């Protein structure tokens, strides 16, 4: 059956990206070079109309008496994609390899821990849009076909009346294999854990910059 064939190919595609203890035959740099042609596979209507869609939004006040310098410093950390501790994922990127800040069209390779430091999978996202206003800085990234989700992530800091606020908002749909129990429960747990760790990581960066 066509549906079963698609499911089987999807399953093979997923397990081809799994590694043990981070051991891979292809380095992140080679993945980025090999898949340099990738573009966004995110479609807002398709995801919004999917009954399996996950929508999450997190907002955290980081500082109530924030200077412009601190605002710019945290924005730069976000533009480096310094968002997750290494226990969640290890990141390589087009902009990181070129020793610069991100810009639209850059690729981000994520080596994602399923079981921290033991079992990993990987995926590639693309920077869709930069956010660079006087009071709001961050980015929007989309998934590519080299990922277990189709989705979008908006991440930024906002500086208004001295208050520094971090916002993380995501919408996503897992690939068909991860919509079947227990896969969908495990995937959703890992997804939400990554979100919480992201917020916590940014909070810790601010604390380290304001000691």
């Amino acid at each position: 059956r066509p549906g079963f064939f698609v499911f089987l190919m999807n399953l093979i595609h997923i397990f081809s990206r799994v590694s043990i203890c981070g051991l891979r035959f292809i380095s992140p740099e080679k993945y980025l070079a090999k898949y340099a042609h990738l573009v966004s596979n995110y479609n807002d209507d398709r995801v919004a109309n999917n009954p399996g869609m996950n929508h999450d939004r997190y907002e955290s006040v980081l500082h109530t008496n924030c200077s412009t310098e601190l605002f710019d410093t945290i924005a730069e950390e976000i533009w480096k994609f310094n968002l997750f501790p290494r226990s969640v994922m290890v990141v390589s990127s087009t902009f990181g390899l070129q020793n610069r800040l991100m810009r639209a069209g850059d690729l981000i390779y994520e080596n994602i821990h399923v079981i921290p430091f033991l079992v990993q999978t990987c995926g590639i996202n693309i920077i869709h849009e930069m956010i660079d206003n006087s009071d709001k800085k961050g980015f929007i990234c989309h998934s590519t076909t080299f990922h277990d989700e189709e989705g979008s992530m908006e991440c930024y800091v906002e500086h208004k009346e001295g208050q520094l606020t971090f916002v993380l908002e995501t919408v996503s749909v897992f690939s068909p294999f991860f919509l079947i129990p227990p896969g969908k429960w495990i995937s959703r747990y890992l997804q939400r854990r990554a979100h919480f760790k992201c917020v916590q990581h940014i909070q810790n960066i601010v604390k380290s910059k304001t000691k």
Side-chain angles (χ1 to χ4, degrees):
R1 296 178 181 179
F4 176 75
F5 178 74
V6 170
F7 175 81
L8 182 61
M9 292 304 294
N10 189 263
L11 186 63
I12 293 171
H13 183 59
I14 289 166
F15 279 98
S16 70
R17 300 203 301 273
V18 171
S19 69
I20 304 298
C21 297
L23 298 176
R24 294 187 184 278
F25 294 111
I26 304 176
S27 68
E29 294 78 11
K30 289 183 178 179
Y31 268 117
L32 288 169
K34 180 179 180 180
Y35 295 100
H37 63 281
L38 285 175
V39 296
S40 168
N41 72 335
Y42 174 70
N43 180 282
D44 187 57
D45 290 335
R46 181 171 59 233
V47 171
N49 293 321
N50 190 307
M53 181 193 76
N54 296 308
H55 180 201
D56 298 292
R57 179 183 169 88
Y58 308 84
E59 189 170 317
S60 175
V61 175
L62 302 174
H63 206 282
T64 56
N65 187 24
C66 177
S67 65
T68 301
E69 289 75 18
L70 179 60
F71 171 51
D72 289 338
T73 297
I74 302 305
E76 188 169 306
E77 293 297 324
I78 289 173
W79 286 337
K80 292 176 182 176
F81 205 80
N82 184 10
L83 299 177
F84 300 95
R86 294 179 68 85
S87 60
V88 173
M89 68 176 71
V90 178
V91 172
S92 186
S93 64
T94 308
F95 51 92
L97 294 175
Q98 296 176 9
N99 196 29
R100 58 173 173 80
L101 300 179
M102 66 171 63
R103 60 185 178 222
D106 283 338
L107 297 178
I108 301 170
Y109 170 90
E110 302 169 345
N111 193 45
I112 304 162
H113 290 287
V114 179
I115 301 175
F117 306 108
L118 182 61
V119 179
Q120 299 84 28
T121 185
C122 62
I124 296 177
N125 290 326
I126 187 168
I127 301 300
H128 174 67
E129 181 181 339
M130 296 297 296
I131 303 170
D132 189 7
N133 303 322
S134 60
D135 61 352
K136 182 178 176 181
K137 298 179 186 292
F139 66 89
I140 298 171
C141 74
H142 287 176
S143 59
T144 67
T145 52
F146 194 87
H147 207 289
D148 293 330
E149 303 172 27
E150 178 184 354
S152 174
M153 180 176 80
E154 183 173 5
C155 178
Y156 61 86
V157 278
E158 195 167 32
H159 186 209
K160 289 187 176 180
E161 298 179 352
Q163 180 170 289
L164 183 66
T165 304
F166 175 67
V167 175
L168 173 68
E169 185 165 11
T170 67
V171 290
S172 66
V173 174
F174 292 121
S175 61
F177 174 76
F178 291 107
L179 294 177
I180 301 171
K184 72 174 185 178
W185 302 326
I186 297 171
S187 299
R188 183 60 174 151
Y189 166 77
L190 291 172
Q191 183 185 56
R192 296 191 70 210
R193 175 180 177 271
H195 295 166
F196 295 143
K197 290 289 186 179
C198 174
V199 175
Q200 187 179 61
H201 187 68
I202 293 296
Q203 290 170 340
N204 289 338
I205 290 175
V206 172
K207 289 177 182 177
S208 71
K209 301 292 184 182
T210 54
K211 283 183 178 179

